[in-house]
Amino acid sequence: TIPTNCVIESNRDMERLLMTLLELFQLLKKHLKLVVVLPIACALIMGVVSLVGMRNTYTASTSMYILAKTDSADGAAANYSDLSASQMLSNDIATLLDSDSVKLGAAKKLGLENLDDYKTSVTSESTTRVITLSVTGTDAEETAKVANAMADSVSQVAQNVDAAKSINVIDKAKAPEAPSGPKRMLYVAVAFLAGLFAAVAIVVLADMLNTRVRSAEEAEELLGLPVVGRI
């Protein structure tokens, strides 16, 4: 059985919590203008910044199949037939795709100095030697060209370092029709929540710093005496 004093104490804690929440609600209601205006202002500012200051980005992807050194001409694997070896090989090629040799080779093919304006990511499954290269940039056509150039470059580098027999492109990258970023709605939502949190914090902090007695109820609570008259 639960002791009676524990139940009473639990009820008191619940009452204190409810009173605290009620006081907070009343406090926010008193400063409703700030609580409403600040989040909306933050959201609007972020919306303008994301539209004006953030350029659209596009992501183009190409998939490749790794032909191991010990594979026969018809693609049947010998020493690389097990899954762990295939995964290791995929990891090696993924590392090569992020190397300066591959990026500089692709940049040279496209007549660029470097690929610093593009972000790359490589994904691979543990049960296959198919890897996917994704390239993100601010121009849809150029992004697709960079992805395809990197696919060609990594095949040459892999053969030069004797990492794989060849890397065959399954699907060439195509220019994306729609931008992949930035996620403006997400930024606006985060800005709205941040503004709401800031408004609540300002209201609570201002109330804590305000030590004036503002009502008869506060006077009774502070002094422990009943109010018998007002001037």
Side-chain angles (χ1 to χ4, degrees):
T1 59
I2 301 176
T4 305
N5 57 344
C6 293
V7 176
I8 295 175
E9 189 66 27
S10 177
N11 291 335
R12 288 177 179 174
D13 292 339
M14 184 61 68
E15 290 177 359
R16 293 192 192 99
L17 178 60
L18 292 176
M19 287 298 295
T20 302
L21 293 176
L22 182 60
E23 291 172 359
L24 177 60
F25 177 76
Q26 292 174 348
L27 190 61
L28 294 178
K29 185 178 180 180
K30 184 178 179 181
H31 300 83
L32 185 61
K33 186 175 181 180
L34 175 64
V35 175
V36 172
V37 172
L38 187 58
I40 294 177
C42 291
L44 290 176
I45 293 173
M46 177 54 68
V48 173
V49 171
S50 62
L51 286 174
V52 178
M54 298 181 182
R55 298 180 60 183
N56 286 339
T57 57
Y58 300 86
T59 300
S61 301
T62 177
S63 57
M64 297 162 280
Y65 181 81
I66 306 170
L67 187 64
K69 293 179 294 182
T70 51
D71 285 356
S72 60
D74 59 358
N79 296 333
Y80 282 95
S81 58
D82 62 290
L83 296 179
S84 59
S86 297
Q87 182 60 32
M88 289 177 62
L89 183 58
S90 298
N91 292 338
D92 292 342
I93 302 305
T95 302
L96 286 178
L97 280 167
D98 195 41
S99 65
D100 292 336
S101 299
V102 171
K103 292 182 178 180
L104 290 176
K108 184 178 180 181
K109 183 177 180 180
L110 296 173
L112 302 174
E113 292 185 3
N114 52 61
L115 300 182
D116 293 343
D117 294 334
Y118 299 89
K119 295 181 179 179
T120 61
S121 63
V122 182
T123 57
S124 61
E125 300 293 337
S126 59
T127 58
T128 179
R129 279 181 282 167
V130 175
I131 60 176
T132 301
L133 169 66
S134 298
V135 179
T136 302
T138 56
D139 185 275
E141 293 287 343
E142 292 299 322
T143 300
K145 291 180 180 178
V146 169
N148 292 324
M150 288 187 65
D152 294 336
S153 179
V154 74
S155 181
Q156 296 176 3
V157 173
Q159 295 177 48
N160 292 339
V161 300
D162 206 24
K165 185 175 181 180
S166 65
I167 300 176
N168 301 325
V169 175
I170 301 174
D171 294 314
K172 283 191 173 183
K174 297 180 180 179
E177 297 180 357
S180 59
K183 298 179 180 180
R184 293 185 173 89
M185 292 303 297
L186 177 61
Y187 296 156
V188 170
V190 171
F192 180 86
L193 293 177
L196 181 61
F197 177 80
V200 174
I202 291 173
V203 170
V204 173
L205 183 61
D207 183 72
M208 292 175 61
L209 295 177
N210 189 352
T211 58
R212 294 179 299 172
V213 178
R214 288 159 289 179
S215 65
E217 291 76 12
E218 288 187 6
E220 289 182 341
E221 183 180 355
L222 290 171
L223 301 175
L225 298 172
V227 175
V228 296
R230 300 185 185 183
I231 298 177

